[in-house]
Structure formats: structure tokens, C-alpha cells
Amino acid sequence: MKKYLFMTFVALITCFISNAENENSGLINEWGKMSTDWLTNKIYVTVSAGKNYSLALTTNGVIVGWGDNDDGQTDTPEGSNYFVISAGNRHAAAIRNNGSIVAWGNNEEGATNAPPGNDFVNISSGIDFSLAIKNDGSIVGWGANGDGQTDVPEGYDFKKATAGGSFGLALKIDGSLVIWGSENDPDLYDALTNMPSGNDFIDIDAGYDHCIAIRSDGTPVAWGGNDFGQTDIPVGTILYEVAAGAWHNIGIKLDGTLIGWGANSKGQTDCPQGNTFLKVGAGRQHSLAVNFSGLSAQILADKTIGLYTLPVQFLAGTSGTNANNIYYSWDFEDDGIIDIEGWGVNSPTNFYTNGIYSVRLSVSNEENDTAYNLKENYINVMNQGVDADFYANAITGVIPFSVQFNDLSANVPQYWSWDFDNNDSIDSTAPNPSYTYSSTGTFSVSLLVSNNFGAGSGSSFDSITKQNYIVAVPAISALFSVDKTKASTGETINFTDLSINGPNYWKWDFNNDGTIDSTNQNPSFAYSTSGYKTVKLICGNEFSVATNTQFNLITITTTNHSLYVWKSGGSVPPFDSWLTAATNIQDAINISLPGAEILISNGVYSSEGYSAEGTNVFSSKHKLKFTGCGNVTIDGKNIMR
């Protein structure tokens, strides 16, 4: 039977059930904090557990809910047209037969604002957010996003996704893992991103702060938070299905028996006995399982991907009643031809040439009970080794220059070695790393990829170096000068660009009023009004932009003008009225042009620091006319009066 399992913190399991699998149904066992007796007289195909509540799907596609209902999470939608269910923390979701999503329960973070469309094949609900897989292999996320948990990875090569406490975990078609979220908890982020390597994963699930995955040979691996031993998998455990609770896990072994580990404060890992279990779910402090009384079959393989010629050793498991003496019939290519059969043939080996193969196993017992399992597109065999290639999202930029590298290597590499600055030192072993260049220069980038699919399957490696691939440039600095800082209205002023590090465009604002007056590199300009002038230059290129603003850089006066000085003036350049007069004589001199008249009104005027050889109170470099208007005294500070 083909299974698509997406687990969550408290959902913990979402199941895709095809029509062929509906015959594998049964009663529900529940243990831990919750206990429900009235469900024992109904037949179900799968279960999903949330925070103190549960969901189950009947054989005719009806959703049943029980437990806490403070947010309406067990007020399940009506109808009998559902094939996927997922219980989140306080909300739940399901997929109808037409591929559309319905969600209900708590909606504080928009968790029930399901996306539109009729092309969804699976769904997983976590703490106030959900993830869904579309039939094109892409992931969609919605709801809470405080930790980036709905910033899903791009691409169309995903076959499973699961929502954890504040993160997402996905399984790609090539058997590799991708994780994201938990951005605001550095310790948890480090623990979650410390994922196991490899391309041989077939199933995943996520709890509140931990993850679990199953390799093709049934070996489980777990990582992340471990405060309750939730990642301490019992030695020798082989599983074909698993559900991650908040801080515990429940797995199904090949023989149909259950195993649990992790937190057990409410007995949530005290699994019931028997070998008839087919589906499991794990909640916050309780667990569920579907107890099937008939015969069932499971398939594992020591490897599912490799190089031509690929030897694959299969391992079959049977569960249910009378599952001890079994007749096995294997069709290694699902072409209708039995390749090997017999009593007890549960671990055969087959050699594959290049191609993608489905595998079918049929089993029967002495009572003529039968069952089968079909693993579609299960074995992938390539006729050549890895072929290294990559690209970067940007190849030229300003330091510090952050570059995202993406592996494009063909034929499923398992290991990556990156040298980003051509210094023969390995900078990263991630498949799609990022790197920040802190110094300027031109850098070659090298990638070595390899794989090793196990004994007898061969291994391969390849490398590629892109010469002078990355160019890290310095940021632009905007600088300029003028040929004069004093001028009269209508007089031409020449501006010179002195910016460094290669700008290729310039925007001049000669009045700092937000209007661009020129785009020449070295423009000229004549002001039509008097006053202090602030000048702004914006320059840049495709990599950086810089701005230089020089305040009150230029003083503009009118030709043959009069400047006014008055103790009670407004001190507003160019001092062309008594109302705007300068309050001291030197200010008027500083902006004057040769031949200007300075009119001085009533008052005593003095200045320190402008005397020349102890004889003058004020200083000018050109000829001016001074006129006193009223009772004017110039105080030389006992030098001259």
C-alpha cells in the first residue's frame, strides 16, 4: 500500500488513503491522557491527534472528532468526501476528494484561512499554521509565521511536508530533507538544522521541537530537542511508520507491533500489545492506533537509489491474525510477472538496471487470507555517476556580499564540498549553502560532489570549478567639489564629481528640494535666487548607491546689492532687508561681493578673532562700502574705537 504521511506537533499524522487501502481499516486504540470507548464499534482507516483531541476518518470518508473543543476543533465538517485529515494544536484541516482544503477551529493567526484551489494532495497542521503539498510537488504554507515557519522552500520536487511547533520539515523526491523556521530560537534552530545526511529517507514527522525520519531500510533517525528522550531511539528499532507527538514518538514495526519512547507522564508511550496495527497518531499526551484484524504486508529495502547494476535486498513484514506462516509472491518491476515466490521468502535480492521501478508484494497464509503492498516508483537506478554543476543567485555585488549557491548536480549526489574562494579549503558541505564575501576581489568557486549508495551499488564523484565566477566590489562613496562657494545670482558655478569606486550615474539636487537638477557627471549651474544653498549628490551603479549632502555650501547674493546689519535683525541670508538683517557685521562681510554696501543700524558692534595686526575689528578681502544708519558704535575692544 502506498502511504503519504505528514506528521505535526500535535497533528502529528496526516494520512493519504487511496481506495485500494480502504480495506485496511479497523478499530481505534487510544491510550495516555485521553480515553474513548464509544469509538470501538466503528471502523476507521486513519487517525490524527492534536492537543487533547483526536480526529479519525471512516471507511466512507466521514471525519469524526472527540476531546477538547474550546475552539471548535472537533466540530468536524459534514459530508463523506474527505481523504486526508490533520489535527493541529487547536485547529484542524482536511482535503476533500476534489483536492480542495477545508479548515476549522482556532483562527487567531489565520490558521484556518486555507488557500483556494483544487490541486492539493496532502496537508499537515502544527501550532497555528499549516503546510500543504500540491500535485505539482510544491509546498504552500499559511497561518502563524513569527519564526518563518510558513516561508516554505521553493521548488516542485517535494513529496512530504510536516509542520512542527515553529518549523517545517519536508522530504524531497530524491530522498533528501529540507528544514526551515524557528528563526527566533538560535539553540533550537541549530539543533533542528543538524539533520542527518543522505538521500535514502522515505518518511518524516515532526514534534514540538524534534524531528524523526525513516530510511529506506526501516532505520529511524531523530534529532532536535531531547529534554524527554524523544530522540533516543531504542537500539535495533526497525519501523515502517512513525508518528511524532509533542515530546514522544509511536512507531509500527514490520511485524505490526507498536513501540513508543520519549515523554510518558500520562502513559502515552505505554503501547497496547498485539501485532495488528497499521496506522498511528501521537498527540500532546496521548496516542492512537488503528487495530486491523486482517492480514497486511509491508515492504522495506536496504537501498532505493543507486548506480547500474544495483542489487537491492528487500525485507517483508506481515501483521495481523495468522501472520506467522506466509507465502510471498514478489513482482520486482510491477509488470504482472512474478519474479520469485515461496513460503518464507521475505528477504529476496533483485538486481536492477537503469530505470525507475515499482515493486509489488502479495502475501497469503494457510487460511487463504491475502494482502498486497505496492510501492510505486520505489527503486531508482542510474546508468552514470554524479555530474557536478551549480549556480549562484548573484555573481557581482558590494561587500559584504552574500551569495546563495544552489547545487544543480545530476544523478543524486549525497555529499558536497564547496570552496568559495579558491584557497583549497572546504567552506561548506551543505547542498545549497550561502557565503558572504567580506573582501573585494574576483573569486573562483569549486564544487566536489559524490555519492555512495552502499556495498555493491557503486559510488561516483565529480567536480567543477567556475573560474573568476564571483566579483566582490567596494561600495561607492559620493564626493564632489565646487569652483566657488560665493557667487551672485546668475553667476555660473562648476561642480566636479570626486566619487570613488565606479559610479555610472549621477543625480544632482542643487537646492536640496527633492528635484533633480542635472544628471551630468560634472555639471554647471547658476542660481536665480540669493541665500545659502545646500547641495546633494546621489550617485551609484547596479551594485550600490551613495549620497553626499553639503549643507549651506554656497552663498548667493544679488549683484551690487546692499546688506543690512541690525542688532534686532532676523539673521536670514542674504540680509537684504532690516527685517532679515545680520546681527553682526562680519556675517554680512562673509557673504558680500566686491563693491557691496553694508548698512549698519543703531547699536554697539564688536567682534573677537577677526582683528588683523591688532588694528581692525572686522576683516574683508575685497573693497566694501560701510554706511552707519543712526547711532552706530564699533567697539575695538580697547584697540580702536
Side-chain angles (χ1 to χ4, degrees):
M1 57 185 172
K2 185 177 182 181
K3 301 183 290 296
Y4 300 79
L5 301 177
F6 292 71
M7 322 295 183
T8 69
F9 153 39
V10 285
L12 316 171
I13 182 170
T14 302
C15 297
F16 174 91
I17 306 297
S18 69
N19 291 333
E21 292 176 310
N22 285 346
E23 62 186 30
N24 291 337
S25 56
L27 305 177
I28 291 178
N29 287 58
E30 187 175 53
W31 63 99
K33 184 174 182 179
M34 299 176 61
S35 179
T36 303
D37 297 328
W38 64 271
L39 292 168
T40 57
N41 61 350
K42 297 179 182 293
I43 303 300
Y44 300 91
V45 293
T46 191
V47 288
S48 182
K51 181 182 179 182
N52 302 330
Y53 78 100
S54 298
L55 302 177
L57 189 65
T58 67
T59 55
N60 59 350
V62 175
I63 305 173
V64 176
W66 66 97
D68 286 357
N69 195 35
D70 295 342
D71 296 283
Q73 57 267 51
T74 63
D75 294 334
T76 57
E78 297 180 354
S80 59
N81 59 341
Y82 300 95
F83 71 92
V84 177
I85 58 173
S86 178
N89 186 38
R90 297 182 297 160
H91 77 285
I95 301 180
R96 301 182 181 95
N97 291 335
N98 66 359
S100 63
I101 295 175
V102 60
W104 64 97
N106 181 270
N107 194 35
E108 290 181 2
E109 298 284 346
T112 63
N113 298 335
N118 296 84
D119 54 352
F120 295 96
V121 297
N122 221 308
I123 194 169
S124 174
S125 298
I127 297 184
D128 299 328
F129 80 103
S130 295
L131 305 173
I133 296 285
K134 304 181 77 171
N135 59 15
D136 63 1
S138 62
I139 304 176
V140 177
W142 68 96
N145 194 36
D147 287 276
Q149 57 265 56
T150 61
D151 295 331
V152 300
E154 298 179 354
Y156 300 90
D157 55 348
F158 298 96
K159 61 181 180 179
K160 297 185 180 183
T162 179
S166 59
F167 63 94
L169 174 68
L171 174 63
K172 303 185 76 171
I173 293 174
D174 66 2
S176 62
L177 304 176
V178 179
I179 200 165
W180 66 96
S182 292
E183 297 173 353
N184 295 320
D185 190 338
D187 292 337
L188 177 58
Y189 178 82
D190 290 342
L192 290 173
T193 55
N194 187 26
M195 295 186 301
S197 61
N199 294 76
D200 58 345
F201 295 100
I202 59 173
D203 199 6
I204 56 173
D205 194 11
Y208 176 74
D209 60 0
H210 77 285
C211 300
I212 188 166
I214 299 178
R215 297 187 184 273
S216 59
D217 62 359
T219 303
V221 292
W223 67 100
N226 195 35
D227 292 340
F228 301 94
Q230 59 266 44
T231 65
D232 296 333
I233 301 173
V235 177
T237 299
I238 300 295
L239 304 176
Y240 79 89
E241 186 170 307
V242 68
W247 302 283
H248 75 285
N249 306 284
I250 302 295
I252 307 179
K253 297 181 179 181
L254 271 178
D255 61 1
T257 60
L258 299 177
I259 185 173
W261 69 95
N264 195 35
S265 58
K266 301 296 181 180
Q268 58 265 48
T269 64
D270 295 334
C271 302
Q273 300 299 308
N275 67 332
T276 60
F277 298 99
L278 287 175
K279 299 291 180 183
V280 288
R284 185 180 180 88
Q285 293 177 313
H286 75 290
S287 303
L288 299 165
V290 177
N291 190 340
F292 172 56
S293 59
L295 186 65
S296 66
Q298 293 79 41
I299 302 174
L300 293 176
D302 66 338
K303 64 184 77 70
T304 59
I305 189 168
L307 296 174
Y308 168 89
T309 298
L310 180 68
V312 178
Q313 182 175 8
F314 294 95
L315 180 62
T318 54
S319 61
T321 55
N322 300 314
N324 295 323
N325 195 12
I326 300 297
Y327 191 89
Y328 298 87
S329 297
W330 293 87
D331 182 353
F332 296 126
E333 300 177 358
D334 192 32
D335 57 2
I337 300 174
I338 300 301
D339 298 295
I340 188 172
E341 60 183 334
W343 295 97
V345 184
N346 68 332
S347 58
T349 298
N350 187 61
F351 291 85
Y352 287 94
T353 58
N354 59 293
I356 298 176
Y357 302 90
S358 299
V359 179
R360 182 183 295 269
L361 168 64
S362 300
V363 299
S364 61
N365 57 23
E366 294 176 334
E367 285 72 26
N368 293 322
D369 298 322
T370 62
Y372 79 93
N373 191 330
L374 173 62
K375 293 278 193 178
E376 295 184 276
N377 302 322
Y378 189 46
I379 306 298
N380 182 7
V381 185
M382 296 160 289
N383 62 359
Q384 60 182 4
V386 291
D387 185 10
D389 194 12
F390 67 89
Y391 80 97
N393 67 330
I395 59 174
T396 304
V398 174
I399 58 170
F401 180 28
S402 181
V403 180
Q404 176 67 53
F405 292 91
N406 296 276
D407 175 49
L408 295 178
S409 303
N411 299 326
V412 195
Q414 289 177 288
Y415 312 104
W416 299 262
S417 296
W418 296 85
D419 180 1
F420 298 122
D421 47 11
N422 200 34
N423 64 351
D424 295 324
S425 177
I426 300 303
D427 299 305
S428 177
T429 57
N432 300 298
S434 61
Y435 185 78
T436 299
Y437 292 87
S438 58
S439 59
T440 61
T442 300
F443 302 93
S444 299
V445 179
S446 299
L447 169 63
L448 171 68
V449 293
S450 61
N451 60 25
N452 180 9
F453 296 113
S457 66
S459 61
S460 62
F461 67 91
D462 189 34
S463 64
I464 183 174
T465 298
K466 295 190 176 184
Q467 298 289 343
N468 303 323
Y469 187 55
I470 301 296
V471 180
V473 299
I476 289 172
S477 293
L479 302 169
F480 67 91
S481 66
V482 294
D483 63 344
K484 57 178 72 81
T485 58
K486 296 179 183 178
S488 61
T489 54
E491 182 178 353
T492 298
I493 300 176
N494 298 312
F495 296 82
T496 301
D497 171 51
L498 301 176
S499 304
I500 60 174
N501 298 329
N504 55 21
Y505 68 85
W506 299 263
K507 297 178 181 180
W508 296 86
D509 182 357
F510 299 123
N511 295 286
N512 195 33
D513 58 1
T515 300
I516 301 302
D517 301 301
S518 177
T519 57
N520 294 329
Q521 181 178 4
N522 300 300
S524 298
F525 188 76
Y527 290 93
S528 59
T529 60
S530 59
Y532 286 135
K533 304 299 179 180
T534 295
V535 182
K536 177 188 289 186
L537 168 62
I538 303 172
C539 62
N541 54 29
E542 61 268 40
F543 310 115
S544 66
V545 178
T547 300
N548 185 358
T549 301
Q550 298 190 36
F551 293 91
N552 298 332
L553 173 65
I554 300 171
T555 304
I556 301 297
T557 59
T558 57
T559 306
N560 297 322
H561 68 294
S562 295
L563 294 95
Y564 294 78
V565 180
W566 181 33
K567 282 291 187 179
S568 299
S571 189
V572 179
F575 315 132
D576 54 3
S577 71
W578 291 117
L579 196 62
T580 61
T583 56
N584 67 79
I585 298 173
Q586 190 64 53
D587 284 350
I589 294 174
N590 288 344
I591 69 169
S592 66
L593 296 176
E597 181 182 22
I598 296 180
L599 303 175
I600 308 173
S601 185
N602 300 327
V604 177
Y605 298 89
S606 62
S607 177
E608 297 178 359
Y610 288 106
S611 61
E613 298 179 357
T615 59
N616 295 315
V617 175
F618 305 101
S619 175
S620 175
K621 295 182 179 180
H622 50 256
K623 184 181 289 186
L624 297 170
K625 179 181 179 181
F626 293 87
T627 301
C629 301
N631 186 13
V632 177
T633 300
I634 297 178
D635 186 356
K637 295 296 183 180
N638 298 320
I639 298 174
M640 181 178 291
R641 190 180 184 93

